[in-house]
Amino acid sequence: MTLFAELGEKSKWSKHAFDPNVCNDSNTSNFVESFNSTLGVNRCRPILTLLEGIRRVCMVRIATRMKNAKSWNDEEITPKIVKLVKEIGKSSSKCRVFKSSPGEYEIHEGRSQFPLSLNKKVCSCGAWQLTGVPCRHAIRACIDAKLDPHDFVSSWYSVKTYKQAYSVCINPIPDTEQWPADESGRIIMPPKMKRGIGRPSRNRKREEGEEQPGKRSKNSEMQQMWLLWA
Ligand SMILES: [Zn+2]
């Protein structure tokens, strides 16, 4: 309890307390891994080269997404979410639906039951509010009400919002030699650093018991050897 109390505001680390307006249930403690793998070799480079690397990754990413979205229909939701709704819908057949009034339902699933409102876009399981995508209970209610579940997805996932997010590109820029000189006369010196002994490590220190990267099991090593022999 002391440990959790020290973590601070629950809305920052516990899904149940996340802000529903954000419509994102991602909760990860190792985002640095994704960040590093996106940066690739750039992460070991000096700060200016590193920042340039990040700028270039973002520039290409925005351009790619802008191009992909061009053929999508503005009135629809993004293909990834359409796929997700289809996937969630598969498990909705296990739910039983009981209507209370137009748009108001009680959904039974195993021993649990959840009050659900299509009018307020709320299910007491919490998943719908948290993700912005109808949960299986909501999809079951939509089927009963003969309504399209896609109409109940948050506007954050609409093609219109997606296109808006990637509508502004990052401009290409020339190399540092071609940048205009700073005319203020300021000279910024590098910080004083004390160099440690030996070559600095490029890899993150992993915790005890954490899986080591690229460590192959004996079995897969044997398979590799078989492939070489075959
Ligand atoms: Zn639900």
Side-chain angles (χ1 to χ4, degrees), residues 26-175:
S26 290
N27 190 7
T28 174
S29 57
N30 61 350
F31 66 90
V32 175
E33 298 273 345
S34 323
F35 190 70
N36 281 344
S37 79
T38 306
L39 294 183
V41 290
N42 282 327
R43 75 187 168 99
C44 308
R45 302 219 162 121
I47 188 73
L48 206 55
T49 323
L50 169 73
L51 290 172
E52 258 301 282
I54 295 175
R55 186 197 60 83
R56 204 170 303 112
V57 166
C58 295
M59 178 176 79
V60 173
R61 181 169 292 193
I62 290 172
T64 314
R65 295 192 177 180
M66 208 193 275
K67 181 178 165 269
N68 291 346
K70 231 174 186 175
S71 58
W72 300 349
N73 185 346
D74 274 10
E75 302 310 312
E76 290 175 4
I77 52 172
T78 59
K80 201 173 168 184
I81 301 298
V82 171
K83 210 172 150 192
L84 180 65
V85 170
K86 198 176 167 190
E87 207 50 47
I88 300 170
K90 283 181 193 165
S91 54
S92 71
S93 58
K94 291 179 201 147
C95 307
R96 285 181 301 145
V97 62
F98 299 91
K99 193 173 182 175
S100 150
S101 61
E104 304 295 318
Y105 289 90
E106 189 179 290
I107 310 291
H108 289 207
E109 185 185 24
R111 287 184 181 176
S112 313
Q113 63 187 62
F114 305 95
L116 181 143
S117 170
L118 288 178
N119 305 317
K120 292 182 192 150
K121 297 187 178 176
V122 165
C123 175
S124 69
C125 82
W128 191 3
Q129 299 89 291
L130 190 63
T131 60
V133 177
C135 58
R136 54 185 180 277
H137 314 117
I139 294 182
R140 185 67 193 86
C142 282
I143 294 168
D144 184 80
K146 296 189 173 58
L147 293 168
D148 184 358
H150 298 109
D151 293 340
F152 290 86
V153 172
S154 163
S155 62
W156 289 127
Y157 299 114
S158 70
V159 169
K160 218 180 254 177
T161 310
Y162 189 97
K163 283 185 178 172
Q164 208 180 346
Y166 297 107
S167 62
V168 182
C169 65
I170 295 177
N171 294 322
I173 65 165
D175 65 74

